[in-house]
Amino acid sequence: MIDSKREDELRRDVEMLYFGYRAFTSLADSILADYGLGRSHHRILYFVQRDPGISVGDLVLVLKVTKQAIHRPLKELEERGLLTVTPDPQDRRFRRVTTTASGAELEERLTGAQTRLLEEVFAEFDEATEVRWRHVMMRLAETDE
């Protein structure tokens, strides 16, 4: 059982995580809105840019979505010339995804805005605090596995 003081602190932490995430995503959201795209498009662009040639199946696993859920945004990004989806040369059952030059440029704008925000915030703290923050984020991510 969590005592009431600790519960109040944790509830404030939940709020700060919510408000921090809202600020973090709002930068990219405003750019995405100009393209008529959403966060799912950004996530796809981000992970494809990080792993060019990733298979659609592996992208599904990384994003923890179904093939049905990824189909529409993947198709939209391909139709807009931001991604290419091609059969794997060794095994045509697999489809490989890469960003185009335009897709890489958009991904850089989106993620660049977020990395600049993190850099600005981290500049206010020492390296040990930044390392602890990463550890907390890593542990949160691990609980989702």
Side-chain angles (χ1 to χ4, degrees):
M1 177 99 186
I2 301 173
D3 70 60
S4 62
K5 182 177 185 246
R6 180 68 176 148
E7 184 173 352
D8 286 345
E9 290 171 345
L10 291 171
R11 285 184 172 275
R12 280 193 297 277
D13 293 339
V14 167
E15 291 171 14
M16 290 302 102
L17 190 56
Y18 170 75
F19 293 131
Y21 181 73
R22 185 173 67 185
F24 179 75
T25 56
S26 71
L27 298 166
D29 286 349
S30 64
I31 297 168
L32 288 162
D34 293 341
Y35 289 82
L37 300 174
R39 289 181 190 162
S40 62
H41 299 97
H42 181 196
R43 284 189 290 272
I44 291 169
L45 284 170
Y46 177 83
F47 284 105
V48 171
Q49 184 66 19
R50 294 277 291 170
D51 188 6
I54 188 171
S55 71
V56 172
D58 286 343
L59 189 56
V60 163
L61 292 173
V62 167
L63 296 174
K64 291 192 175 194
V65 297
T66 64
K67 284 187 180 179
Q68 293 82 2
I70 202 173
H71 179 75
R72 184 185 56 77
L74 197 60
K75 191 76 172 157
E76 289 171 347
L77 290 167
E78 185 180 23
E79 288 171 352
R80 291 172 183 235
L82 299 169
L83 290 179
T84 59
V85 181
T86 56
D88 183 285
Q90 280 76 42
D91 189 342
R92 298 186 60 80
R93 293 174 298 170
F94 296 100
R95 296 181 306 144
R96 300 284 172 189
V97 187
T98 50
T99 56
T100 63
S102 298
E105 183 181 306
L106 176 57
E107 189 280 330
E108 169 53 35
R109 284 186 62 208
L110 297 165
T111 306
Q114 292 175 325
T115 57
R116 286 186 295 278
L117 175 62
L118 288 176
E119 178 63 23
E120 181 181 310
V121 171
F122 285 151
E124 298 177 20
F125 300 97
D126 63 8
E127 186 177 338
T129 301
E130 189 174 332
V131 169
R132 284 191 299 274
W133 180 84
R134 285 195 180 109
H135 183 75
V136 168
M137 293 295 107
M138 183 176 60
R139 289 290 298 123
L140 283 172
E142 288 171 354
T143 64
D144 190 39
E145 294 176 1

